[in-house]
Amino acid sequence: MFRRHRIPAAAFLAAVALALVAAAAAALDIGHVSRTYVDPERDDRQIPTEVYYPALQAGEGVPAAPPPPGGFPPLACGHGYLMPWSVYGWIWEDLVTAGYVVALPRTGGELFPDHEDFGLDLAFVLRALQVEAATPASPLYGAVAAAGGVMGHSMGGGAAVLAAASDPDIAALVGFAAAETNPSAAAAAASVTAPSLQFSGSHDCVAPAEQHQLPIHENLASDCRAWANLLGGSHCQFAAYNFTCSLGESGCPSPTLTRTEQQAIAMLLLRPWLDRVLKGDAAAWQTFTARLDSLPEVDYLLDCGPTAAPAGPAGSPLVLMSAPNPCRGGARLRYSLAGAARVEASLFDVAGRRLRAFPVREATAGVHTLAWDGRDGAGRRLSAGVYLLRLRAGEATLSHRLVLLH
């Protein structure tokens, strides 16, 4: 988690607007159908679902636009607790016009929802879209790609983890302030190998990152996982206004980002990440990592090995080998370099303040060790808590969360 130079708000918003206008230049229109999918393996469970897809003209049941080779990647999106699917228009309106199919199951709206069933609904909807794509009478005929992803907000974000754990064919996982579930999303993350992007808001006291999104991120078995913390963002602003959600965060600190800003920043990261993971666009990964480094309201963790699907243009030369976590009194972190590189390391607290810069070293290819004695740059012993260690080798960056005990 790192602080960078803060650009004026007006300049930042202008940059966001230009990026979104440029992205919309070749945008497609949005088609829509309502479906009720039936899962025969769960006693014919009915899953009412709203499906939005790229079309040449907007409308109900209109034919899908001619797809690219392989089809439009599908995404199943889960809603938050007692929140309707309709509050996520910012997601489907942007992604569909960029060439994605977005399906939003309406299940899970009970006062006491079954999180496991909701996760299985998300996974099943992706498979149901494949059936649609093979049905000549469907407007989606021939338009849906084989590889898809799951995403969700709050409860839906936790359910998306359960979905990805239930089906190894799911190729991408995204969470917006993902909340812990029952069964545990954090525990299920250990079975998820798909690339993952998790978003948090620093002012979220409903599902704070340290108890919800960070354990999910850390437990993932994926060889490429990212976590983006939106500084000044809140839990509920990952959706349109909803009374239930707003009531739930009534005691949280007031966000310093507006709802529009928070959603725009998230989309600036989400779009290129999805383009790389689900569309195979290598240049999009460079856009994603450049935005992580330059957006003024984003701190992040990025752990991607050299064999990860969205590796950098030349493959990442930096791989984390091991580090004790939690650690007592300090830690020894082992990392591997594919070639000679200039290595820089810094330690940050969870607020993004740099506490210590380690001496720069010119390292050869092979395995190396970085020792930390539990102190900041002034030699003061740090209190128990969560800290973030950042390594940079050439153009590759790796971040590792450390829990310090005494």
Side-chain angles (χ1 to χ4, degrees):
M1 194 185 291
F2 321 110
R3 290 300 305 127
R4 283 170 291 282
H5 176 64
R6 191 182 184 91
I7 63 175
F12 169 68
L13 292 177
V16 169
L18 286 173
L20 294 179
V21 168
L28 298 160
D29 271 325
I30 300 176
H32 170 258
V33 292
S34 295
R35 292 285 190 260
T36 298
Y37 298 118
V38 179
D39 185 352
E41 296 185 0
R42 289 186 290 156
D43 297 324
D44 290 335
R45 177 178 171 85
Q46 296 192 1
I47 309 170
T49 305
E50 305 300 324
V51 182
Y52 293 88
Y53 56 91
L56 293 181
Q57 62 180 33
E60 293 292 321
V62 296
F72 298 117
L75 295 159
C77 182
H79 59 78
Y81 176 66
L82 296 182
M83 298 178 69
W85 60 272
S86 55
V87 296
Y88 301 102
W90 72 278
I91 294 176
W92 82 69
E93 288 169 5
D94 191 290
L95 293 182
V96 172
T97 57
Y100 291 88
V101 176
V102 180
L104 301 101
R106 302 206 314 267
T107 53
E110 305 85 1
L111 185 61
F112 301 104
D114 187 309
H115 299 152
E116 184 174 22
D117 268 339
F118 193 33
L120 293 174
D121 291 346
L122 292 170
F124 183 80
V125 163
L126 282 185
R127 297 192 293 273
L129 289 172
Q130 301 301 321
V131 176
E132 285 259 0
T135 304
S138 170
L140 294 172
Y141 180 60
V144 182
V150 289
M151 60 172 56
H153 172 226
S154 191
M155 176 189 75
V161 179
L162 301 179
S166 75
D167 187 348
D169 290 335
I170 290 175
L173 170 65
V174 179
F176 303 99
E180 178 63 302
T181 53
N182 182 21
S184 169
S191 300
V192 176
T193 58
S196 170
L197 173 59
Q198 297 293 320
F199 288 96
S200 300
S202 67
H203 286 39
D204 184 350
C205 73
V206 177
E210 287 189 26
Q211 287 79 48
H212 294 263
Q213 299 92 55
L214 277 173
I216 290 171
H217 171 82
E218 288 295 330
N219 288 346
L220 288 163
S222 169
D223 60 1
C224 193
R225 54 188 182 172
W227 171 66
N229 185 37
L230 306 192
L231 302 178
S234 77
H235 184 84
C236 295
Q237 288 188 161
F238 286 115
Y241 174 80
N242 172 261
F243 175 78
T244 302
C245 193
S246 180
L247 183 64
E249 68 172 2
S250 57
C252 295
S254 297
T256 57
L257 292 175
T258 67
R259 193 178 304 270
T260 298
E261 290 170 342
Q262 181 167 331
Q263 293 172 4
I265 294 167
M267 191 57 68
L268 284 172
L269 295 172
L270 178 62
R271 276 272 296 274
W273 187 87
L274 286 174
D275 286 349
R276 178 62 184 99
V277 173
L278 293 181
K279 293 185 177 179
D281 183 349
W285 185 251
Q286 300 176 54
T287 300
F288 171 69
T289 54
R291 288 176 179 175
L292 277 179
D293 274 330
S294 62
L295 286 169
E297 301 294 350
V298 176
D299 287 343
Y300 68 92
L301 292 172
L302 181 61
D303 298 309
C304 287
T307 60
S316 174
L318 177 62
V319 184
L320 177 68
M321 302 293 288
S322 66
N325 199 15
C327 56
R328 292 187 179 277
R332 295 180 66 83
L333 182 138
R334 295 174 65 244
Y335 61 94
S336 175
L337 295 175
R342 178 185 175 88
V343 177
E344 303 173 35
S346 296
L347 183 77
F348 298 81
D349 64 14
V350 292
R353 295 182 291 263
R354 186 162 71 174
L355 303 176
R356 180 171 178 175
F358 294 86
V360 176
R361 63 181 299 185
E362 299 292 338
T364 59
V367 177
H368 301 270
T369 299
L370 174 68
W372 173 49
D373 58 5
R375 300 177 184 273
D376 66 11
R380 295 171 296 217
R381 182 165 294 281
L382 295 173
S383 59
V386 178
Y387 298 92
L388 301 168
L389 186 66
R390 179 188 190 184
L391 284 175
R392 183 187 295 274
E395 296 182 357
T397 300
L398 183 147
S399 304
H400 188 70
R401 174 175 172 257
L402 292 169
V403 178
L404 178 64
L405 304 175
H406 285 318

